[in-house]
Amino acid sequence: MATTLIPHPWRSIMGNGGGGGGKDDRADTESLVSDDGHHDHIESSLVSDDGGRHHDHLINSLVSDDGADHHLSLHHHHQHQLIRYFCRILLLFGVIAPTYFVLYHSTFPLQLVPRSYSSDRDSSTVASSSSSHNSVVKLDTILEAAAMADKTVIITTLNGAWTTPNSLFDLFLESFRIGNQTKRLLNHLVVIAVDQRAYDRCLVLHPHCYNLSTAGVDFSGEAFFMSPIYFEMMWRRLGFLYSLLKMGYNFVFTDADIMWFRDPFHHFYSDADFQIACDSFDGNPLDLNNYPNGGFMYAKSNNRTIRFYEFWLASRTTYPGLNEQDVLNKIKYHPLLTQIGLKMRFLDTIYFSGFCQLSKDMGQVCTMHANCCVGMNNKIHDLKVLLEDWKRFLSWQNKERPSQNTSWTVPQKCR
């Protein structure tokens, strides 16, 4: 008699090595399809090749004229058997069908969750941790509107304290408007607001604003250097920049306490993957002993920079208690950067200057950073003076410049 075997529905999931396998699997299979040992009986009745004579006997019994009682008895017996068979078949189908449904969809999963951009590993501290799918789509829309032809955007991050009227954000925007061929760069500036107050203020002043605020976290106050809020904001910012690289965008990141006086793109290294301004520059853009400042950097989106930022973020756990800039100073010597082929360059303070190492040549400087300065009020005071210095310098153009007062009069309070 030919018997049809019903496969164990879980074996294809567990494999030969899963759940013990072997006899236990066979026992489980038999328990699903057997009732007091009647499995063979069911199969012989349903799929047997040699059950024809038994079938003919039953038919003859049913159509006989002289065996009414026997006919009735056999009829009830046969009807009872058919009901038992169909009940067992339905039971088997009820077990096997859901199992194969699970197996099928484990191979071809339903796409119920829309895809969105998210960061890996330590970048869970970034935008993706607080962004819904809708906000990610909105970010992409903002970036597309602001990006240059090569998908480069200028990024700054702000909290509420920096966006109050007549504060750092106002000075930052003013520098673009009065700089030499920098006003057009405002079209490519995306402001990342880390709290609702900053976002609301940004919408009043600028067209490209993104709300990165996190429910239950207040970043709106002044973040003093190395305070817990400052510490978290810096790592959150780095993770957000990493997510931009994964989205395929190049970026120039700039702190909002950096004044833009000239187009800096003319002074970037065309062959570099990652380039960064310095608190202290020794004259050699390749020297790892330069002291970088994470407030201004230019990164191109490629596999090398993505792996570099992944490593940078992951190194937070290697160097607990350090901010992202101090961690960079540790990992810039790591052999992984050479292994992945990252081309890193340090930017000259003649063009990318700051209060730490002031450029004396007002005719060449592109950006000026209020670094080496503690306290927002001190920064605001000296940056206002800086803007007046710049306006005075511009007023001397096409005129004979006096021999005195042709250089910066800052820092004053940032000492």
Side-chain angles (χ1 to χ4, degrees):
M1 177 175 63
T3 302
T4 302
L5 296 178
I6 302 176
H8 191 309
W10 300 107
R11 182 170 290 123
S12 59
I13 295 178
M14 300 298 294
N16 292 333
K23 295 180 180 180
D24 291 338
D25 289 346
R26 186 173 298 279
D28 291 340
T29 305
E30 292 170 358
S31 67
L32 288 172
V33 299
S34 175
D35 181 12
D36 298 328
H38 292 300
H39 175 260
D40 290 340
H41 177 68
I42 294 172
E43 298 231 323
S44 63
S45 300
L46 295 176
V47 298
S48 172
D49 294 333
D50 58 355
R53 284 177 293 179
H54 179 64
H55 176 268
D56 292 341
H57 174 71
L58 288 174
I59 294 299
N60 290 336
S61 302
L62 290 171
V63 299
S64 172
D65 292 335
D66 56 355
D69 292 339
H70 184 61
H71 161 78
L72 185 60
S73 175
L74 286 174
H75 175 72
H76 285 302
H77 176 75
H78 184 65
Q79 196 173 42
H80 179 68
Q81 288 292 92
L82 287 175
I83 290 172
R84 290 185 65 189
Y85 297 159
F86 281 113
C87 285
R88 289 172 178 170
I89 291 172
L90 289 174
L91 178 62
L92 287 173
F93 183 79
V95 172
I96 294 172
T99 301
Y100 278 97
F101 179 85
V102 172
L103 289 174
Y104 175 82
H105 287 290
S106 67
T107 306
F108 305 100
L110 294 172
Q111 297 295 328
L112 297 178
V113 181
R115 295 188 179 186
S116 63
Y117 294 101
S118 61
S119 304
D120 301 325
R121 293 189 292 189
D122 287 85
S123 58
S124 61
T125 60
V126 199
S128 60
S129 64
S130 63
S131 298
S132 66
H133 173 67
N134 289 335
S135 65
V136 173
V137 172
K138 183 181 178 183
L139 172 61
D140 198 42
T141 302
I142 293 170
L143 293 172
E144 287 180 2
M148 302 176 189
D150 65 348
K151 294 192 71 175
T152 298
V153 289
I154 301 170
I155 300 291
T156 194
T157 54
L158 291 171
N159 69 347
W162 283 40
T163 56
T164 55
N166 300 314
S167 189
L168 291 170
F169 187 39
D170 289 339
L171 299 176
F172 178 68
L173 295 177
E174 183 182 356
S175 75
F176 279 89
R177 289 192 287 265
I178 67 174
N180 185 2
Q181 298 183 352
T182 53
K183 186 176 181 179
R184 62 182 178 80
L185 296 177
L186 285 172
N187 297 325
H188 308 295
L189 172 67
V190 177
V191 177
I192 309 301
V194 298
D195 59 69
Q196 189 63 42
R197 193 171 117 201
Y199 181 65
D200 292 341
R201 175 69 173 159
C202 179
L203 291 176
V204 174
L205 299 177
H206 190 65
H208 306 307
C209 306
Y210 180 67
N211 191 349
L212 193 63
S213 60
T214 305
V217 181
D218 184 11
F219 288 126
S220 62
E222 182 178 357
F224 293 99
F225 182 71
M226 290 307 294
S227 66
I229 292 177
Y230 172 88
F231 188 80
E232 189 59 37
M233 283 178 62
M234 295 304 100
W235 282 107
R236 183 172 172 78
R237 179 181 79 183
L238 186 70
F240 180 81
L241 296 176
Y242 164 69
S243 71
L244 294 183
L245 294 175
K246 292 192 70 177
M247 293 171 72
Y249 286 93
N250 316 311
F251 64 79
V252 176
F253 175 79
T254 172
D255 275 341
D257 62 346
I258 295 179
M259 303 295 103
W260 286 53
F261 295 133
R262 289 184 176 84
D263 185 346
F265 287 89
H266 304 300
H267 297 283
F268 288 142
Y269 298 94
S270 59
D271 62 338
D273 300 312
F274 173 80
Q275 37 204 314
I276 187 168
C278 298
D279 285 342
S280 177
F281 179 71
D282 65 9
N284 181 359
L286 297 175
D287 188 358
L288 295 177
N289 291 317
N290 286 302
Y291 196 88
N293 186 301
F296 189 91
M297 47 194 171
Y298 176 32
K300 296 178 182 177
S301 177
N302 55 45
N303 291 334
R304 295 181 295 276
T305 53
I306 289 172
R307 289 191 63 188
F308 167 58
Y309 267 76
E310 286 176 350
F311 178 60
W312 192 353
L313 285 163
S315 297
R316 178 180 183 178
T317 58
T318 307
Y319 302 99
L322 297 185
N323 67 15
E324 92 298 349
Q325 183 172 299
D326 291 336
V327 169
L328 175 61
N329 267 316
K330 298 287 187 181
I331 67 172
K332 65 185 180 182
Y333 300 104
H334 199 282
L336 176 67
L337 275 58
T338 302
Q339 293 170 13
I340 64 177
L342 182 76
K343 296 179 181 178
M344 181 186 295
R345 298 291 183 271
F346 298 93
L347 298 172
D348 196 329
T349 52
I350 290 177
Y351 308 109
F352 303 93
S353 189
F355 293 168
C356 292
Q357 191 174 35
L358 196 67
S359 173
K360 301 299 182 181
D361 192 343
M362 296 178 72
Q364 295 192 72
V365 68
C366 296
T367 62
M368 180 69 75
H369 191 180
N371 52 8
C372 293
C373 183
V374 178
M376 187 171 62
N377 289 334
N378 292 335
K379 287 177 181 284
I380 292 172
H381 176 274
D382 279 14
L383 288 176
K384 285 181 177 180
V385 174
L386 182 77
L387 291 179
E388 292 303 315
D389 287 346
W390 176 253
K391 291 175 184 177
R392 185 170 60 253
F393 172 80
L394 292 178
S395 69
W396 293 333
Q397 288 185 339
N398 301 321
K399 297 179 182 179
E400 184 179 352
R401 296 176 184 172
S403 58
Q404 296 178 346
N405 297 326
T406 57
S407 61
W408 311 109
T409 61
V410 290
Q412 294 180 7
K413 291 192 173 183
C414 293
R415 292 184 183 273

